């Protein structure tokens, strides 16, 4: 034994803060929960308890990795999203709490029969929707094979693999339809801003997941161009956007022929999601013959 949980936590938070880690206390708690194998909400009641030596060794290694810049989710190999634990590796974006705004909006709508998640990454959005909608089938695309492999593991982990099809695709290229619901959290950070991001994002998360090009709206331009061919009549589409992109991205979808376009804010009051409703008749036949990526 070496000190208490509380003393180890306080020392680690101070070291992380001293090294410039922005969420030092919160990160220390997540790393402690991982080291103790306990849920984060158990850390406060456990604070006065002696720190077991084995957990201490794990915690010290976690803190050293964090001090080297590695993000907490990659150290622990997982992240909580909409109440579920998702596998996270260096091949996928660490699912962000603000993306739960898009998920909440999806759940306000009618459960779809067929849904598509463009740029599925870890599968956090797709798997969450399928887990809550047992009648739905879901398709997930990404240009990253390694990301698709992580999504497959998460689909298996949460019991939705049999209803999930994952496919390598460049936005809508080769993707049929129609889908009742299309969601995406595409890369939207202007390339020139990457250098200004926090180290754990800039140096550790895949740049393919962060930026689509110099203007930040290039993904939405591609998605807007293909949306009418894939969204079912009366269907709903929800797309995450970056801060300050609302007016420009909404205009993109309007210019692509969609009259019903709405912006929704996140919990901080910033425009975060563009919602598009399709009033016109879709043209393509259904296609559900995608091969599954086998979970590893
Ligand atoms: C911001 S991440 C979102 C990941 C996940 N959906 C989430 O919300 O946590 C964007 C994802 O889009 C993928 N992506 C980038 N360019 C793409 C393209 N041209 N076609 C399809 N997916 C793409 C990236 O590999 C990445 O997984």
């Amino acid at each position: 034994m070496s000190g208490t949980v509380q003393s180890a936590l306080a020392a680690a938070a101070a070291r992380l803060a001293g090294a410039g880690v922005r969420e030092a206390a919160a990160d220390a708690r997540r790393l402690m929960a991982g080291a103790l194998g306990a849920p984060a909400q158990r850390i406060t009641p456990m604070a006065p308890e002696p720190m077991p030596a084995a957990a201490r060794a794990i915690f010290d290694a976690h803190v050293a990795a964090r001090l080297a810049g590695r993000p907490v989710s990659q150290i622990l190999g997982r992240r909580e999203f909409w109440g579920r634990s998702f596998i996270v590796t260096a091949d996928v974006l660490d699912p962000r709490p603000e993306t739960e705004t898009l998920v909440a909006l999806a759940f306000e709508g009618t459960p779809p029969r067929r849904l598509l998640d463009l740029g599925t990454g870890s599968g956090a959005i797709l798997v969450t929707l399928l887990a809550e909608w047992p009648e739905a089938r879901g398709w997930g695309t990404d240009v990253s094979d390694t990301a698709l492999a992580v999504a497959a593991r998460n689909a298996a982990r949460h019991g939705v693999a049999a209803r999930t099809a994952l496919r390598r695709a460049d936005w809508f290229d080769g993707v049929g339809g129609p889908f009742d619901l299309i969601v995406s959290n595409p890369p939207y950070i202007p390339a020139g801003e990457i250098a200004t991001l926090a180290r754990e994002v800039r140096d550790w998360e895949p740049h393919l997941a962060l930026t689509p090009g110099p203007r930040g709206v290039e993904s939405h331009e591609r998605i807007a161009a293909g949306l009418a061919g894939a969204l079912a009549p009366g269907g709903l589409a929800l797309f995450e956007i970056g801060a300050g992109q609302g007016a420009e991205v909404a205009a993109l979808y309007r210019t692509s022929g969609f009259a019903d376009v709405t912006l929704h804010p996140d919990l901080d009051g910033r425009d975060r999601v563009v919602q598009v409703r399709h009033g016109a008749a879709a043209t393509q036949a259904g296609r559900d013959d995608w091969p599954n990526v086998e979970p590893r």
Side-chain angles (χ1 to χ4, degrees):
M1 307 283 179
S2 47
T4 63
V5 168
Q6 173 61 38
S7 63
L9 202 52
R15 284 186 73 197
L16 292 172
V21 173
R22 279 185 232 176
E23 306 281 342
D27 285 4
R29 285 177 76 86
R30 280 182 71 199
L31 295 174
M32 179 60 82
L36 292 169
Q41 61 269 28
R42 285 283 307 142
I43 298 304
T44 299
M46 290 174 81
E49 295 176 13
M51 184 85 189
R56 176 80 210 208
I58 296 169
F59 184 61
D60 288 349
H62 282 175
V63 172
R66 188 71 193 93
L67 285 167
R70 199 169 179 204
V72 174
S73 297
Q74 288 186 26
I75 296 169
L76 298 178
R78 61 184 182 271
R79 152 78 85 173
E80 292 294 310
F81 183 83
W82 202 268
R84 290 183 179 80
S85 171
F86 283 84
I87 295 162
V88 172
T89 72
D91 296 310
V92 296
L93 187 90
D94 182 3
R96 305 292 203 270
E98 54 264 34
T99 299
E100 293 184 339
T101 299
L102 184 155
V103 170
L105 285 165
F107 285 135
E108 286 178 14
T110 314
R113 199 172 57 86
R114 298 158 55 92
L115 71 97
L116 170 67
D117 179 18
L118 296 162
T120 197
S122 66
I125 301 173
L126 179 68
V127 169
T128 298
L129 297 177
L130 289 175
E132 301 285 331
W133 282 325
E135 304 298 321
R137 297 192 64 200
W139 283 256
T141 65
D142 209 293
V143 280
S144 163
D145 287 323
T146 48
L148 288 169
V150 175
R153 292 172 66 197
N154 279 318
R157 182 179 174 95
H158 294 297
V160 301
R163 294 183 287 120
T164 303
L166 296 165
R167 177 177 178 163
R168 188 176 204 277
D170 181 7
W171 302 130
F172 285 111
D173 284 356
V175 175
F179 298 94
D180 313 309
L181 174 66
I182 298 179
V183 293
S184 185
N185 172 22
Y188 52 66
I189 299 172
E193 290 181 18
I194 294 291
T196 69
L197 299 176
R199 178 166 68 142
E200 66 262 31
V201 179
R202 184 192 64 217
D203 295 348
W204 293 84
E205 297 204 71
H207 285 199
L208 186 59
L210 298 173
T211 180
R215 291 173 295 116
V217 296
E218 292 87 345
S219 309
H220 285 290
E221 289 172 344
R222 294 279 311 280
I223 294 170
L227 186 59
L231 191 59
L236 177 71
L238 296 165
F239 303 120
E240 185 164 319
I241 54 170
Q245 293 178 335
E248 185 178 3
V249 175
L252 274 175
Y253 289 99
R254 289 196 187 98
T255 305
S256 299
F258 296 94
D260 190 348
V261 179
T262 323
L263 289 169
H264 293 275
D266 61 19
L267 292 175
D268 295 326
R270 288 175 296 202
D271 285 338
R272 180 60 64 185
V273 175
V274 176
Q275 171 185 301
V276 181
R277 278 198 187 278
H278 193 349
T283 52
Q284 297 194 3
R287 246 182 61 170
D288 53 7
D289 56 349
W290 291 6
N292 262 314
V293 175
E294 292 300 325
R296 281 195 279 193

